[in-house]
Amino acid sequence: MSNHVYKSIELTGSSTISIEDAISRAIERASETVRNISWFEVIETRGHVQDGKVAHWQVSLKVGFTLED
């Protein structure tokens, strides 16, 4: 097993569909410019209520990736 060094960044994804969609949007967008993403951790979940219903989800997450040699 190699000795790897990891870095983490914090992202916030948003969605009108679901928490899972907000997470996926954040990771997919970050994957366009960050290589070697290997894990994520949900830090905080927030939402906006309109007319008694959830109208918008916002999820902050920590995303980890392996640094290249």
Side-chain angles (χ1 to χ4, degrees):
M1 182 175 188
S2 303
N3 293 322
H4 294 290
V5 174
Y6 300 92
K7 181 173 178 118
S8 63
I9 57 174
E10 191 170 318
L11 306 171
T12 300
S14 60
S15 172
T16 56
I17 299 169
S18 68
I19 293 170
E20 291 84 0
D21 189 55
I23 293 168
S24 293
R25 286 173 181 268
I27 292 172
E28 287 170 14
R29 176 62 181 89
S31 293
E32 293 176 11
T33 57
V34 178
R35 292 188 299 272
N36 304 319
I37 293 176
S38 58
W39 58 268
F40 73 92
E41 172 187 359
V42 174
I43 299 170
E44 184 176 22
T45 305
R46 294 177 299 282
H48 173 72
V49 177
Q50 188 172 7
D51 299 324
K53 295 182 181 179
V54 175
H56 202 103
W57 293 99
Q58 194 175 54
V59 182
S60 294
L61 39 135
K62 191 178 287 188
V63 175
F65 56 96
T66 308
L67 294 178
E68 296 177 345
D69 293 328

